[in-house]
């Protein structure tokens, strides 16, 4: 289905996707995302549900037709349900959620009554002890169960795995088998040079081509068609697994990027790798056209090397 966006930059990129960060707070402490003792923003610094929905409604008027809410951990937002209900009322083609899964079980019945039917869950290990070491929490069983419950309730579920050399890269085939066994798409993500991950990036980084090579030692990968602006390239396997690869570092997709980002404080950003943006909090709707032109000019055509700001402050 073709995008109906009327937002286009000088390079012909059609902008129609928006990542919306509800909060920077998170109840996990994944070592590549945040320090052990992070400083979260006070609630007064965050957009209210009314402010956030007004901004998203205005952006939908310019052709934003896909929204994914993220965090931090979005389900920690006190306004989570009100925001999802409000976003469900916008003329969107797709509404999704990225979550660590800890509180998801209690939200599934609510979500089923909304248009938020696409759920991406972060799960970097299928081993409880290793999950604890990565996330610094002991909630593996709760997250694992949430994945299967969401699938059973009919949501479009994807499991996101950040592949880390020497930490979880020996589980690649375990995740392929998990996908085949449970009919859940698994996406292998390259570790990005963002915030805390910059320090040991060269040690922990595993390129997508290496992951693919390892899988091909046991499976035949059959390419699947994706939209031009897809962040992942996808395959099915002869065993029935569905796997995708997000190669943000080694095979950047900047030249086809169709995404803007809205932070929890109201800043509209053109790129995850840049702190440049314009704050929309309190801005009259009639000023959006000029602001959007400004933000689109901030969108890089090629990959920026790194960003020091931690991932949890940007929005996953």
């Amino acid at each position: 289905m073709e995008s109906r966006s009327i937002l286009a930059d000088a390079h012909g990129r059609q902008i129609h996707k928006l990542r919306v960060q509800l909060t920077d707070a998170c109840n996990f402490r994944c070592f590549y995302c945040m320090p052990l003792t992070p400083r979260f923003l006070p609630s007064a610094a965050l957009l209210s549900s009314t402010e956030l929905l007004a901004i998203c409604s205005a952006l939908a008027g310019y052709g934003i037709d896909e929204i994914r809410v993220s965090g931090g951990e979005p389900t920690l937002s006190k306004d989570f349900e009100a925001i999802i209900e409000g976003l469900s009322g916008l003329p969107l083609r797709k509404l999704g959620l990225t979550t660590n899964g800890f509180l998801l079980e209690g939200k599934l019945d609510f979500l089923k009554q909304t248009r938020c039917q696409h759920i991406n869950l972060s799960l970097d290990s299928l081993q409880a002890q290793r999950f604890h070491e990565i996330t610094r929490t002991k909630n593996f069983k709760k997250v694992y169960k949430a994945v299967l419950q969401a699938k059973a309730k009919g949501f479009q579920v994807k499991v996101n795995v950040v592949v880390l050399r020497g930490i979880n890269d020996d589980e690649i085939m375990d995740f392929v088998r998990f996908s085949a066994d449970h009919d859940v798409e698994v996406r292998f993500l390259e570790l990005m040079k963002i915030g805390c991950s910059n320090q040991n990036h060269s040690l922990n980084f595993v390129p997508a081509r290496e992951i693919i090579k390892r899988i091909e030692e046991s499976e035949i990968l059959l390419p699947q068609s994706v939209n031009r602006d897809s962040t992942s390239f996808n395959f099915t396997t002869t065993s029935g697994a569905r796997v995708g690869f997000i190669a943000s570092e080694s095979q950047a997709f900047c030249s086809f990027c169709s995404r803007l980002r809205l932070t929890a404080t109201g800043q509209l950003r053109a790129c995850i790798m840049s702190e440049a943006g314009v704050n929309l909090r309190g801005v009259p709707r009639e000023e959006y056209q000029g602001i959007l032109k400004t933000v689109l000019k901030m969108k890089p055509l090629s990959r920026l090397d790194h960003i020091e700001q931690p991932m949890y402050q940007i929005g996953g």
Side-chain angles (χ1 to χ4, degrees):
M1 183 176 180
E2 291 296 320
S3 167
R4 59 178 178 80
S5 177
I6 57 175
L7 291 175
D9 68 7
H11 305 286
R13 291 174 292 189
Q14 300 291 316
I15 311 303
H16 68 105
K17 298 178 181 179
L18 182 68
R19 279 291 184 97
V20 177
Q21 181 192 35
L22 303 194
T23 178
D24 63 336
C26 188
N27 49 348
F28 286 12
R29 297 291 183 269
C30 299
F31 71 86
Y32 58 80
C33 181
M34 65 175 68
L36 189 57
T37 55
R39 292 184 178 181
F40 298 131
L41 293 168
S43 58
L46 307 180
L47 293 174
S48 68
S49 59
T50 300
E51 290 173 317
L52 185 147
L53 291 171
I55 292 172
C56 290
S57 176
L59 293 175
Y62 285 91
I64 292 295
D65 61 10
E66 293 189 23
I67 289 179
R68 177 169 293 280
V69 297
S70 68
E73 171 48 43
T75 59
L76 290 177
S77 168
K78 63 181 178 60
D79 297 322
F80 175 75
E81 294 191 4
I83 289 170
I84 295 296
E85 287 178 341
L87 293 176
S88 293
L90 299 182
L92 305 176
R93 294 190 306 169
K94 183 177 179 180
L95 177 59
L97 165 69
T98 295
T99 174
N100 63 27
F102 179 76
L103 296 175
L104 185 61
E105 180 181 359
K107 303 292 186 183
L108 289 175
D109 288 342
F110 158 73
L111 289 169
K112 199 61 187 174
Q113 304 305 312
T114 73
R115 294 182 61 206
C116 185
Q117 299 299 300
H118 298 262
I119 303 178
N120 292 1
L121 290 107
S122 299
L123 181 62
D124 291 336
S125 178
L126 294 171
Q127 301 176 25
Q129 179 57 33
R130 186 173 288 172
F131 177 92
H132 168 57
E133 292 168 358
I134 295 172
T135 66
R136 298 157 171 162
T137 70
K138 295 184 177 181
N139 299 306
F140 170 75
K141 290 183 179 179
K142 196 173 183 70
V143 176
Y144 187 91
K145 183 181 178 183
V147 174
L148 301 184
Q149 285 183 322
K151 175 65 180 178
K153 287 183 178 290
F155 289 93
Q156 298 297 310
V157 178
K158 296 177 183 177
V159 168
N160 288 343
V161 185
V162 177
V163 181
L164 305 161
R165 190 178 302 282
I167 297 174
N168 67 353
D169 59 323
D170 60 337
E171 293 188 64
I172 291 169
M173 291 310 302
D174 293 337
F175 275 106
V176 173
R177 285 186 286 271
F178 174 86
S179 173
D181 291 345
H182 299 288
D183 189 28
V184 171
E185 181 178 333
V186 171
R187 301 194 303 180
F188 297 104
L189 280 61
E190 290 183 346
L191 180 67
M192 299 179 71
K193 294 179 184 175
I194 296 178
C196 302
S197 68
N198 283 314
Q199 186 174 1
N200 295 309
H201 188 269
S202 60
L203 296 175
N204 295 147
F205 178 71
V206 183
R209 61 180 176 275
E210 180 180 327
I211 303 170
I212 290 171
K213 185 177 180 180
R214 292 199 207 178
I215 295 174
E216 287 181 327
E217 292 175 357
S218 305
E219 296 268 9
I220 295 175
L221 289 174
L222 307 171
Q224 302 297 297
S225 62
V226 295
N227 293 332
R228 190 181 188 211
D229 65 341
S230 174
T231 56
S232 67
F233 47 99
N234 300 345
F235 300 84
T236 57
T237 73
T238 46
S239 66
R242 291 181 289 128
V243 295
F245 303 89
I246 301 182
S248 304
E249 294 288 330
S250 66
Q251 301 177 54
F253 35 81
C254 305
S255 58
F256 304 117
C257 183
S258 59
R259 180 183 297 172
L260 296 177
R261 313 182 73 88
L262 181 67
T263 72
T265 59
Q267 186 184 46
L268 188 67
R269 293 187 176 187
C271 177
I272 192 173
M273 302 299 292
S274 172
E275 294 189 42
V278 178
N279 200 294
L280 293 178
R281 192 173 201 175
V283 173
R285 199 164 182 150
E286 56 267 24
E287 295 182 18
Y288 273 51
Q289 185 169 355
I291 289 174
L292 286 168
K293 288 181 180 179
T294 298
V295 173
L296 288 182
K297 290 178 181 178
M298 297 175 180
K299 211 164 172 54
L301 187 59
S302 58
R303 174 57 191 266
L304 302 179
D305 183 69
H306 71 284
I307 184 172
E308 294 298 331
Q309 189 176 25
M311 176 71 85
Y312 77 94
Q313 294 179 355
I314 301 170

